[in-house]
């Protein structure tokens, strides 16, 4: 029990570091983007989303390198589900979300497409090869390019070319330094989380996939939670929603792609339980919430409560699997 307690403390310290590092990364990214006069929605769907997904990237790659593919898959799939149900749910409970993005259809297309490609890959092949990983990364680049182009076109049509006050060169440099600091903290914290999670799984004879789906995925979703809550409190619901959409696209295409490449000659094999339950749940939640976004343009507090409760039901069902 002493070893379990020590590793639990290390895991908590790692998760706290992921949150702190992710927050620094987002702060630096937004500061730098504002100096470049980038629209808030574009910041959210690209820079903020990539920044808040960086913990998932580092944790997943570290897990693959350490031959713990279950943690990597659980981290990505669990994070996608927690982003849609838990992150958006909590944000909506804090402040109801009104969706005003004129490029929402393009963003939702790529969200559903990214989830669909992941479902197709594991259903057809049960794994993602190195070549498959390269294709996913290429699709991610195409998605970012298309969403950026669409957002800039909308911005041009609405004559909204100004995001905020242009900062000084010193402010821009401070933003870059903050990003660098966040990356360093994230890498060290991710190493600590993977190490302690593996040890906990070994001590209690708990499948690593379950650890990845719960503790690790929730921990690496903390930057999304923080960024989304701050965004809605400041009246930027589009940033919160764009952050989640962009993060899920990056998780499904970028992180799975990089993890597949990191596995080298070994195939990045999805655990059987994920193929039969967790990945279909992720896709179903994506479709349902995507339809809600398009039809209602709003996520109320009641809907937020439903999302959070649904996430708790999912976690309960996940434990019963194991």
């Amino acid at each position: 029990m002493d070893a379990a307690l020590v590793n639990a403390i290390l895991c908590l310290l790692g998760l706290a570091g992921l949150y702190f590092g992710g927050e620094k990364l987002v702060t630096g990214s937004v500061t730098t983007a504002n100096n470049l006069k980038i629209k808030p929605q574009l910041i959210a769907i690209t820079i903020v989303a990539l920044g808040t997904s960086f913990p998932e990237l580092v944790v997943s790659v570290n897990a693959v390198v350490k031959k713990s593919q279950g943690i990597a898959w659980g981290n990505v799939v669990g994070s996608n589900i927690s982003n849609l149900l838990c992150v958006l749910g909590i944000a909506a409970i804090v402040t109801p979300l009104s969706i005003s993005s004129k490029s929402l259809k393009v963003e939702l297309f790529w969200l559903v497409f990214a989830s669909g490609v992941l479902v197709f890959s594991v259903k057809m092949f049960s794994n993602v090869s190195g070549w498959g990983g390269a294709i996913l990364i290429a699709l991610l680049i195409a998605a970012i390019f298309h969403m950026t182009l669409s957002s800039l076109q909308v911005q041009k049509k609405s004559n909204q070319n100004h995001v905020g006050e242009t900062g000084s060169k010193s402010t821009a440099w401070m933003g870059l330094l903050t990003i660098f600091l966040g990356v360093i903290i994230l890498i060290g914290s991710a190493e600590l989380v993977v190490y302690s999670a593996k040890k906990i799984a070994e001590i209690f004879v708990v499948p690593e996939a379950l650890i990845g789906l719960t503790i690790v995925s929730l921990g690496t979703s903390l930057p999304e939670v923080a960024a989304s809550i701050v965004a809605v409190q400041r009246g930027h619901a589009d940033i919160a929603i764009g952050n989640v959409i962009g993060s899920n696209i990056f998780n499904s295409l970028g992180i799975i792609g990089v993890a597949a490449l990191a596995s080298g000659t070994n195939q990045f094999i999805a655990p059987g339980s994920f193929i039969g339950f967790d990945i279909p749940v992720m896709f179903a939640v994506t479709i349902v919430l995507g339809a809600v976004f398009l039809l209602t343009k709003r996520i109320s507090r009641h809907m937020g409560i439903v999302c959070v409760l649904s996430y708790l039901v999912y976690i309960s069902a996940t434990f019963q699997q194991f």
Side-chain angles (χ1 to χ4, degrees):
M1 288 299 294
D2 290 339
L5 180 60
V6 169
N7 282 286
I9 293 173
L10 290 177
C11 187
L12 290 174
L13 288 174
L15 293 176
L18 286 172
Y19 174 81
F20 181 72
E23 189 178 38
K24 288 295 182 183
L25 184 62
V26 171
T27 300
S29 297
V30 172
T31 300
T32 304
N34 279 338
N35 277 272
L36 297 175
K37 298 182 179 180
I38 299 174
K39 190 178 178 182
Q41 176 67 13
L42 182 56
I43 294 173
I45 206 73
T46 54
I47 298 175
V48 175
L50 296 179
T52 55
S53 289
F54 201 81
E56 285 94 336
L57 174 62
V58 178
V59 167
S60 295
V61 171
N62 279 355
V64 169
V65 171
K66 296 177 182 298
K67 310 300 181 182
S68 301
Q69 293 190 355
I71 286 182
W73 277 102
N75 181 35
V76 169
V77 177
S79 291
N80 280 2
I81 295 173
S82 67
N83 283 347
L84 291 170
L85 295 179
C86 191
V87 175
L88 281 184
I90 291 174
I93 291 172
V94 172
T95 303
L97 307 177
S98 295
I99 307 168
S100 59
S101 173
K102 295 181 180 179
S103 57
L104 182 63
K105 289 183 179 180
V106 172
E107 295 153 9
L108 288 179
F109 164 78
W110 282 108
L111 174 65
V112 174
F113 178 82
S115 297
V117 166
L118 190 57
V119 172
F120 175 80
S121 299
V122 297
K123 286 290 186 181
M124 289 294 293
F125 310 109
S126 300
N127 67 78
V128 179
S129 65
W131 280 107
I135 292 173
L136 291 180
I137 293 172
L139 288 173
L140 174 64
I141 295 172
I144 293 174
F145 178 79
H146 186 204
M147 290 187 295
T148 300
L149 184 62
S150 175
S151 180
L152 291 177
Q153 287 176 341
V154 170
Q155 179 175 321
K156 184 177 180 180
K157 289 179 180 179
S158 59
N159 295 320
Q160 294 177 350
N161 298 314
H162 186 65
V163 174
E165 295 183 2
T166 303
S168 63
K169 290 183 179 180
S170 61
T171 302
W173 276 109
M174 284 301 297
L176 292 173
L177 288 175
T178 303
I179 292 173
F180 179 75
L181 175 62
V183 170
I184 296 300
I185 294 173
L186 286 169
I187 292 174
S189 300
E191 179 71 23
L192 190 58
V193 169
V194 172
Y195 172 81
S196 57
K198 283 187 65 177
K199 291 298 181 181
I200 292 172
E202 291 172 2
I203 292 171
F204 291 101
V205 197
V206 174
E208 288 181 345
L210 178 59
I211 296 293
L213 271 171
T214 54
I215 297 174
V216 178
S217 64
L218 279 173
T220 54
S221 290
L222 284 175
E224 281 91 343
V225 174
S228 296
I229 289 177
V230 171
V232 296
Q233 286 179 332
R234 296 179 181 178
H236 298 294
D238 283 353
I239 291 181
I241 295 168
N243 178 30
V244 168
I245 293 175
S247 293
N248 278 25
I249 293 171
F250 184 71
N251 287 348
S252 299
L253 299 178
I255 295 180
I256 292 296
V258 172
L261 290 176
S263 64
T265 56
N266 298 319
Q267 291 180 325
F268 187 40
I269 302 173
S273 60
F274 284 22
I275 298 173
F277 179 71
D278 300 287
I279 292 178
V281 167
M282 179 195 73
F283 189 62
V285 170
T286 300
I287 294 295
V288 170
L289 286 184
V292 170
F293 290 160
L294 284 177
L295 296 175
T296 67
K297 305 291 184 182
R298 188 173 186 271
I299 302 179
S300 65
R301 279 198 174 93
H302 290 100
M303 186 65 185
I305 292 172
V306 170
C307 286
V308 173
L309 290 177
S310 297
Y311 182 70
L312 295 177
V313 170
Y314 163 72
I315 291 296
S316 176
T318 299
F319 273 100
Q320 291 178 7
Q321 285 187 74
F322 296 90

